[in-house]
Amino acid sequence: MNGMERLRTPLTWLYAPGDRPEVVGKALASGADVVIVDLEDAVAPHRKAYALDATADLLADAHPVPVHVRVHSPLDIPTLAPLPGLCGLRVPKVTHATDIHRIAGLAPGLSLYPLLENALAVEHAYAIASAHPDVRGIALGEADLRADLGVRDDSGLDWPRSRVVVAARAAALPPPAQSVHPDIGDLDALAAGCARGRAMGFLGRAAIHPRQLPVIERAYLPTPQEVDAALEVVAAAATGRGALALPDGRFVDAAVVEGAHRVLALASRAA
């Protein structure tokens, strides 16, 4: 893997347009866990070549924050893959496992994050998630998926969202991050959407503006009550007496203990 990945679990993934180096610089200083330089939707067609050159200049050196790139085309990859500042590739519009094999051949050893943006991709979610050892996570591209499905209400994406959560887990990948909330002025709606995503099994969220970052992080950090409950589970498991029931009736087994450790690992971010 090129570059330096943070050890802590990422909760915030901030997009920045590749043809605006000054915005990318601000993104790197924003506190986001990962910065995603976008060469696709955020860049006009006549600016694509400049965006690629500017991103290559940026990635000539490593950065304290992991930098990923959402490529516009596989043709971008040979320019980017050898650069020391690149930590991962966001691959848009993946529909088949064969797409991943082709990309992995262009960037061996680099972390790949396929984006599922149409119905066929959702149907193939597990095959894509498990296609290659370099796949480190999957996510939905909800704007394109909405258009493909003709979805008018947000609830119409509930099944694809659950599908990608299950596929990631089945492929032993981290829980997926939610897709972006496009209204940067409505932070209440962002918080509500994050709460719903967390309940569905997502972990963290992509953002398009730094003001969204603290809302996402607060939504995904465990509450004090969740931390206390996790500590109780871990303490009970340390007795070594096997499966048992806590005083409140919760049953403690290996899966519950694993979940408690995940809660405490996330809580350590706030320390």
Side-chain angles (χ1 to χ4, degrees):
M1 185 188 310
N2 294 347
M4 292 294 294
E5 293 279 9
R6 284 185 178 179
L7 295 178
R8 70 178 188 174
T9 301
L11 295 181
T12 53
W13 314 73
L14 180 60
Y15 278 96
D19 64 335
R20 298 185 62 190
E22 74 284 1
V23 175
V24 176
K26 291 178 180 177
L28 290 169
S30 68
D33 293 320
V34 179
V35 170
I36 305 173
V37 180
D38 193 6
L39 303 182
E40 197 201 19
D41 291 343
V43 179
H46 70 281
R47 300 270 291 175
K48 299 288 189 188
Y50 169 71
L52 179 59
D53 289 343
T55 301
D57 287 343
L58 170 80
L59 298 177
D61 297 305
H63 297 273
V65 180
V67 179
H68 295 188
V69 175
R70 179 165 73 167
V71 295
H72 168 61
S73 162
L75 297 175
D76 298 336
I77 296 174
T79 299
L80 301 171
L83 299 174
L86 182 64
C87 289
L89 289 176
R90 300 271 155 173
V91 187
K93 298 178 174 59
V94 172
T95 55
H96 295 86
T98 52
D99 298 334
I100 296 302
H101 289 289
R102 185 174 69 255
I103 298 298
L106 296 172
L110 193 62
S111 297
L112 304 179
Y113 296 82
L115 300 177
L116 315 184
E117 303 185 70
N118 58 38
L120 185 59
V122 173
E123 285 295 307
H124 293 163
Y126 174 71
I128 292 168
S130 59
H132 195 278
D134 289 344
V135 174
R136 302 299 175 86
I138 58 174
L140 292 176
E142 291 192 358
D144 285 358
L145 184 59
R146 285 176 185 275
D148 188 52
L149 298 177
V151 168
R152 294 178 177 270
D153 186 83
D154 194 62
S155 63
L157 291 180
D158 283 354
W159 186 85
R161 288 168 177 162
S162 293
R163 178 75 178 97
V164 78
V165 169
V166 171
R169 179 62 176 169
L173 298 176
Q178 285 184 273
S179 187
V180 299
H181 180 72
D183 187 346
I184 63 173
D186 194 343
L187 298 183
D188 289 338
L190 171 63
C194 290
R196 179 166 174 75
R198 186 181 181 206
M200 295 183 74
F202 288 90
L203 183 62
R205 189 163 196 170
I208 54 174
H209 194 283
R211 75 177 62 169
Q212 296 178 316
L213 302 179
V215 177
I216 295 169
E217 183 159 23
R218 280 196 303 271
Y220 274 97
L221 284 175
T223 65
Q225 294 80 10
E226 289 170 332
V227 172
D228 288 344
L231 288 169
E232 187 178 12
V233 167
V234 170
T239 64
R241 296 200 301 266
L244 55 91
L246 298 177
D248 64 2
R250 283 178 296 148
F251 184 75
V252 177
D253 62 8
V256 174
V257 175
E258 181 185 353
H261 282 295
R262 288 197 298 267
V263 168
L264 296 179
L266 280 176
S268 68
R269 292 171 56 101

